[in-house]
Amino acid sequence: MDRLQAMDVFVRVAEAGSFTAVADHLNVARSAITRQIAGLEAHLGTKLLARSTRRLSLTSSGIAYLEKCREILALVESAEGDLAGENRAPRGAIRVSVPMSFGIRHLVPLISDFVTTYPDVTVDLEFSDRRVNLIEGGMDFAVRISQQIDPNLAMRRLTTSDMVAVAAPSYLERHGRPQHPDELLEHHCLTYTLAPSSGWRFRVGDEIRTIPVRGRMHMNNGDALLEAAIRGLGIAYQPTFITSRAVQAGLLEELLPEYSSTQLQVYAVFPGTRYVPHRVRVLVDYLAERLGPVPYWDRTAIKTSAATATRPE
């Protein structure tokens, strides 16, 4: 068992590129990690890691050994899972990278219920709208939201969300309601700086068009854009998981629903091809079930509210 533990530590250090990061993740002293790696190298009679003042790198022996360790650890965990049964209660630590707005609004309540249901599980959530390196960050998985995810990644779809254009009644009273996507060029638009494109996508006839919008406020957080839109500062183009409550409350109105085209996919993305631990699979299954293929923020009266708001006066 000590040998397996040392292998697990080696894999973690190799993937994170840091003794300190692994020690922090496992809540042990850095010296304990270095001793395990040194003991493993002494047993094997070869150096696995090349150390310098700035970084760690794998030796040729370390590269070969890393792949074997991954295979062995995956087989051990898979075998234990088969013997113990998939219905066993999950236990252990899970590290997850989640988008800021989606994480706070929708994942924190669900994961709070999860850790209440499974008291032997601890969850470490890292909130960031930027793409993090899962291996370097020691993450078990990340929740990512995009129109398209690299099909070569190991992933599980959790749910979906539509993109919608919204504005406050006060803004529409002052500037009028756009009736066609091209009219957005005449409006103040609130843009998301981390979006892959500077334009907003709409279906016009048989084609998908990207409208090159412009405005005076640009932000890297969806909730900040929502607040600016509610204050009447412009039109925002945001996912329904952010806008639905404000639309239902009458604080915002959905615009151009007949031209809507973009649907975002919400995925759990796993690092590399490593075996996914039982505790992680249970959490991902839980999130997929609770969010559902048709999420609760799209099962409300948002579309009815939007249709009413866009009737000719």
Side-chain angles (χ1 to χ4, degrees):
M1 184 59 68
D2 290 343
R3 187 77 51 75
L4 288 175
Q5 184 180 37
M7 286 181 177
D8 180 64
V9 168
F10 167 67
V11 170
R12 291 175 184 272
V13 170
E15 291 180 341
S18 167
F19 289 108
T20 302
V22 175
D24 291 344
H25 177 53
L26 297 178
N27 196 27
V28 299
R30 184 182 185 277
S31 58
I33 301 300
T34 57
R35 280 198 303 271
Q36 287 208 323
I37 297 299
L40 192 59
E41 290 177 327
H43 171 75
L44 296 171
T46 185
K47 285 290 184 182
L48 301 173
L49 296 168
R51 303 159 177 82
S52 70
T53 57
R54 300 186 62 182
R55 61 190 296 269
L56 291 175
S57 59
L58 289 168
T59 65
S60 57
S61 297
I63 293 172
Y65 190 63
L66 176 63
E67 294 307 311
K68 294 298 183 182
C69 286
R70 284 173 170 161
E71 293 174 9
I72 291 168
L73 292 170
L75 287 171
V76 169
E77 185 153 11
S78 179
E80 290 179 349
D82 291 341
L83 290 174
E86 288 300 304
N87 294 324
R88 75 191 192 281
R91 61 187 304 128
I94 305 173
R95 295 196 72 200
V96 191
S97 173
V98 300
M100 186 74 69
S101 295
F102 186 78
I104 293 173
R105 285 170 169 265
H106 303 290
L107 295 181
V108 168
L110 296 182
I111 292 175
S112 297
D113 291 344
F114 181 82
V115 297
T116 300
T117 303
Y118 300 106
D120 292 329
V121 169
T122 61
V123 179
D124 180 357
L125 289 177
E126 179 177 295
F127 296 88
S128 175
D129 287 338
R130 297 186 182 276
R131 296 291 176 88
V132 301
N133 186 306
L134 301 185
I135 293 176
E136 291 181 359
M139 298 295 167
D140 289 295
F141 72 96
V143 174
R144 290 184 177 166
I145 303 171
S146 179
Q147 295 179 47
Q148 186 174 4
I149 299 287
D150 183 349
N152 295 318
L153 294 174
M155 59 188 175
R156 163 85 183 275
R157 195 177 81 153
L158 300 177
T159 189
T160 63
S161 184
D162 294 329
M163 292 291 293
V164 293
V166 293
S170 60
Y171 175 87
L172 299 175
E173 289 173 6
R174 295 195 309 273
H175 300 281
R177 181 188 304 276
Q179 301 296 326
H180 189 278
D182 287 339
E183 296 179 21
L184 290 172
L185 295 170
E186 304 168 8
H187 284 267
H188 301 294
C189 294
L190 309 168
T191 61
Y192 181 59
T193 54
L194 298 181
S197 169
S198 59
W200 296 353
R201 290 163 56 89
F202 294 91
R203 180 176 295 278
V204 180
D206 295 330
E207 64 176 350
I208 303 297
R209 290 179 52 188
T210 300
I211 307 300
V213 299
R214 57 180 179 267
R216 294 178 298 157
M217 294 192 72
H218 318 282
M219 307 182 195
N220 66 353
N221 179 263
D223 275 305
L225 289 167
L226 182 77
E227 180 64 24
I230 290 173
R231 290 176 176 271
L233 297 178
I235 297 174
Y237 185 65
Q238 287 291 293
T240 50
F241 68 75
I242 290 179
T243 64
S244 61
R245 292 177 185 171
V247 170
Q248 293 171 63
L251 299 174
L252 295 174
E253 297 178 13
E254 184 179 340
L255 310 176
L256 306 169
E258 64 273 30
Y259 296 100
S260 178
S261 68
T262 301
Q263 185 178 73
L264 301 177
Q265 307 296 319
V266 183
Y267 290 96
V269 178
F270 306 99
T273 57
R274 292 178 60 185
Y275 177 77
V276 179
H278 174 65
R279 62 186 181 277
V280 176
R281 283 184 283 126
V282 172
L283 174 56
V284 171
D285 289 345
Y286 180 88
L287 294 178
E289 180 180 356
R290 291 289 297 273
L291 291 170
V294 181
Y296 53 82
W297 55 80
D298 283 345
R299 288 199 294 263
T300 64
I302 180 172
K303 293 182 175 59
T304 302
S305 299
T308 301
T310 53
R311 288 176 187 165
E313 297 180 355

